[in-house]
Amino acid sequence: MAGASSHSSASLQLPPSLCCNTYSVCYLSESAQWCRVAAGVGEERSEAVSYSNSDCLMGSRLCNQLFHASYVSGAFGTKWSVKYNQQEICAIKGSTVFMNGTFTLPEGLTVTETFWTIDPVPGVEPTDLSKEPDYSGRVEFFTDDQKHFSLKLSDVMKKDEHQFCFKIKTNVEKERWTGVPGVQLRVTELLVEAPEEVTEGQTADLTCKTTCSLTDPTFIWYKNGHPLTKKTIKNNQLHLQTVSSEDAGSYSCAVEGSQDLRSTAHSLRVRYPPKNISVSISPSGEIVEGSSVTLTCSSDANPHEKNNTWFKGSTPVGEGKTYSIPNIRSEDSGEYTCQSRNDLGERRSTDLQINVLYPPKSVSVSISPSGEIVKGSSVTLTCSSDANPPVKNYTWFKEGGTSPVGSGQNYSIIGISADHIGLHYCEAQNDHGALSSAGVPVSFKALGVGLCFIFLVVLTAVFWRFRGSINEAITIHFKSSTNPEKCFELKTSSFCSVN
């Protein structure tokens, strides 16, 4: 490995037109190109000596060859060497790096001091890196008896991109060595390279980028701060196959061993049609006829839904995020859905059932059997109504009475008589109110005309037979069928009315 040394060995003869210094480079002093030859490697010149550019470049190459050959081959009886394990290191910003190597020195010399320096300048005494303000507390040097050496640099920064060289000093003032070229440090940050937005169903690749080549890195990916273990990771890429809305989130990457040094998070957006559409109702709880309700449509979509259409059954009834029904009626009961739409598609919610509660309405009474009712027969009255919830209680009344005559949806009259004749009605009741039906007349048919005529003939015959002995007049009153309490009334001293 090439290096730099100062020592007092015999001069190496160079062509008179050439000179070299420790680092085999030419310098400019005012208008002349010149170089100082290190002691023992050519004649030292204190004055400015002019050379052409080509001479200087050729001289530099020759000096380098001669200088390197002399030390490595032992032309001066020495064996200086500094070997680094890595000539170039790529480190993540904020990490800790180690630079390691071994060295040898000529026999008879004793190492008195070793340290690290950066970017050594020929002819300028290098500075111990640990004494530099920018590195104070961040560097540690290590050496051992086997001539191993190392540098530990913590909290690597971008401004640490330098060439780091190992410097050796011995008990002989002019016997010292700088291991050049040293270790070149490159510093990188991790950067996620990925699309800003993808559409559901497509594929997406996210790449963890660096500005230099890390040594055998194993990349780790995170989504919303959590490690991804079930995704395809190849080298520094994260592959998302058939992207879904669940893949949207904040992605970052890190390198195994430095998981705390993650990249800046990258936000991935996923475009998809409406999903998870639901309908809510306000106020919640029972819906009573006459009140007002508002339906609200909610959905998950990217981009947000453009419009919402409301349906009752299959019939459109409104537009917008909300749908209000003021003064709701029983006819408004039914299944309601919301259809949400954006640029990528449309989807409909599940049904919301609206059940409007109301008191009994349309209360009516039917009578069975229908047709003529004969005295002593039986009839059944039935009360019907529309109510939600269904009628809880049915109560029967006879017009003109003060007390109920029956209960239940059906009211039966067994052996109908004059006491049952009149208007009957029912009252239907649930939790939200009550309503009575119209009255239904209950009556039975009067005695037949033929029977009355026969009875009249018999009475007439009796009348003529006993007319001489009867002192009171007989008045016969026939009653109309609207008052069928008696077929007729015979007012005499010896006959009473016939029931």
Side-chain angles (χ1 to χ4, degrees):
M1 180 172 290
S5 175
S6 297
H7 55 89
S8 56
S9 56
S11 296
L12 177 67
Q13 297 299 315
L14 298 174
S17 61
L18 299 176
C19 64
C20 27
N21 74 342
T22 303
Y23 298 100
S24 308
V25 295
C26 287
Y27 288 89
L28 291 177
S29 175
E30 298 178 354
S31 62
Q33 290 182 330
W34 64 284
C35 54
R36 291 185 61 190
V37 180
V41 194
E43 181 182 358
E44 182 176 359
R45 302 174 185 269
S46 58
E47 75 281 3
V49 181
S50 297
Y51 297 101
S52 66
N53 287 336
S54 60
D55 287 340
C56 184
L57 293 173
M58 182 175 67
S60 294
R61 295 192 192 98
L62 182 58
C63 284
N64 184 52
Q65 293 170 5
L66 292 173
F67 186 77
H68 180 71
S70 64
Y71 279 89
V72 174
S73 65
F76 304 104
T78 61
K79 294 183 180 179
W80 280 108
S81 71
V82 173
K83 296 181 179 180
Y84 301 100
N85 292 350
Q86 291 176 276
Q87 208 71 48
E88 185 170 308
I89 294 177
C90 177
I92 300 173
K93 180 182 177 182
S95 65
T96 296
V97 296
F98 291 87
M99 302 177 192
N100 308 300
T102 59
F103 69 93
T104 62
L105 72 165
E107 295 180 1
L109 295 179
T110 302
V111 176
T112 58
E113 184 183 3
T114 61
F115 59 86
W116 288 77
T117 188
I118 56 172
D119 301 329
V121 177
V124 178
E125 182 67 21
T127 302
D128 184 341
L129 192 62
S130 64
K131 297 176 182 177
E132 293 278 354
D134 286 345
Y135 291 91
S136 177
R138 292 201 296 133
V139 294
E140 294 180 69
F141 304 153
F142 305 95
T143 58
D144 60 20
D145 294 338
Q146 284 74 43
K147 297 181 176 59
H148 296 99
F149 63 86
S150 65
L151 164 65
K152 178 183 178 183
L153 175 60
S154 304
D155 191 20
V156 172
M157 306 176 187
K158 189 67 177 176
K159 64 181 181 180
D160 292 333
E161 289 190 326
H162 296 288
Q163 183 177 195
F164 289 76
C165 300
F166 186 62
K167 178 73 176 180
I168 307 168
K169 290 185 178 181
T170 70
N171 55 331
V172 178
E173 176 64 26
K174 292 186 178 181
E175 294 290 346
R176 56 185 65 186
W177 187 269
T178 302
V180 291
V183 179
Q184 181 63 51
L185 177 63
R186 307 289 183 193
V187 181
T188 184
E189 292 186 69
L190 301 178
L191 176 67
V192 175
E193 189 176 81
E196 296 290 331
E197 189 174 69
V198 292
T199 300
E200 192 172 53
Q202 295 179 337
T203 61
D205 290 313
L206 288 74
T207 304
C208 193
K209 301 279 287 186
T210 61
T211 55
C212 56
S213 298
L214 297 168
T215 304
D216 298 325
T218 298
F219 289 91
I220 303 170
W221 285 90
Y222 300 85
K223 179 190 173 188
N224 299 331
H226 301 290
L228 290 173
T229 57
K230 296 183 180 180
K231 296 293 184 180
T232 303
I233 299 174
K234 185 176 181 181
N235 298 326
N236 63 334
Q237 275 197 334
L238 173 64
H239 181 70
L240 301 179
Q241 181 72 32
T242 315
V243 172
S244 70
S245 58
E246 287 74 21
D247 290 319
S250 180
Y251 288 83
S252 58
C253 63
V255 173
E256 193 173 81
S258 301
Q259 287 93 325
D260 56 327
L261 302 175
R262 300 180 191 175
S263 68
T264 301
H266 174 86
S267 180
L268 178 67
R269 299 188 301 275
V270 178
R271 303 173 73 244
Y272 51 91
K275 59 178 63 180
N276 302 325
I277 304 170
S278 62
V279 175
S280 60
I281 187 168
S282 177
S284 58
E286 292 186 343
I287 303 170
V288 180
E289 190 173 52
S291 62
S292 297
V293 297
T294 298
L295 308 184
T296 301
C297 187
S298 301
S299 67
D300 176 21
N302 187 27
H304 290 301
E305 66 275 8
K306 274 188 173 181
N307 55 60
N308 297 297
T309 303
W310 292 93
F311 292 84
K312 180 186 178 188
S314 59
T315 304
V317 293
E319 296 281 339
K321 190 172 182 64
T322 61
Y323 174 61
S324 295
I325 310 175
N327 191 27
I328 196 166
R329 313 302 302 170
S330 60
E331 295 79 10
D332 295 318
S333 293
E335 295 178 345
Y336 289 79
T337 56
C338 166
Q339 181 175 275
S340 190
R341 181 184 299 107
N342 71 0
D343 293 335
L344 301 176
E346 62 186 28
R347 196 164 295 171
R348 191 178 291 195
S349 69
T350 55
D351 296 336
L352 173 71
Q353 182 70 44
I354 288 184
N355 183 31
V356 180
L357 305 178
Y358 51 92
K361 58 177 68 176
S362 304
V363 182
S364 63
V365 175
S366 61
I367 188 166
S368 177
S370 59
E372 294 181 348
I373 301 172
V374 180
K375 177 183 177 183
S377 64
S378 297
V379 296
T380 299
L381 307 182
T382 300
C383 189
S384 301
S385 71
D386 174 23
N388 189 23
V391 171
K392 184 183 291 186
N393 298 310
Y394 291 96
T395 306
W396 292 90
F397 297 89
K398 182 173 181 289
E399 194 173 59
T402 58
S403 300
V405 295
S407 62
Q409 187 170 11
N410 298 313
Y411 170 53
S412 296
I413 303 175
I414 308 298
I416 192 168
S417 67
D419 293 336
H420 300 121
I421 293 174
L423 294 175
H424 289 69
Y425 64 91
C426 74
E427 180 185 81
Q429 182 182 33
N430 69 1
D431 294 336
H432 299 282
L435 183 67
S436 295
S437 70
V440 173
V442 173
S443 63
F444 54 86
K445 185 178 180 183
L447 289 176
V449 174
L451 181 60
C452 288
F453 177 75
I454 293 171
F455 195 32
L456 178 60
V457 170
V458 172
L459 288 178
T460 302
V462 171
F463 169 75
W464 284 105
R465 183 177 179 181
F466 297 102
R467 61 181 178 178
S469 61
I470 296 174
N471 299 319
E472 298 179 3
I474 300 174
T475 304
I476 301 174
H477 297 279
F478 291 95
K479 299 292 183 179
S480 68
S481 60
T482 58
N483 186 17
E485 294 176 358
K486 301 177 181 61
C487 182
F488 57 85
E489 186 178 59
L490 183 60
K491 289 186 179 180
T492 71
S493 58
S494 55
F495 289 93
C496 59
S497 62
V498 178
N499 288 328

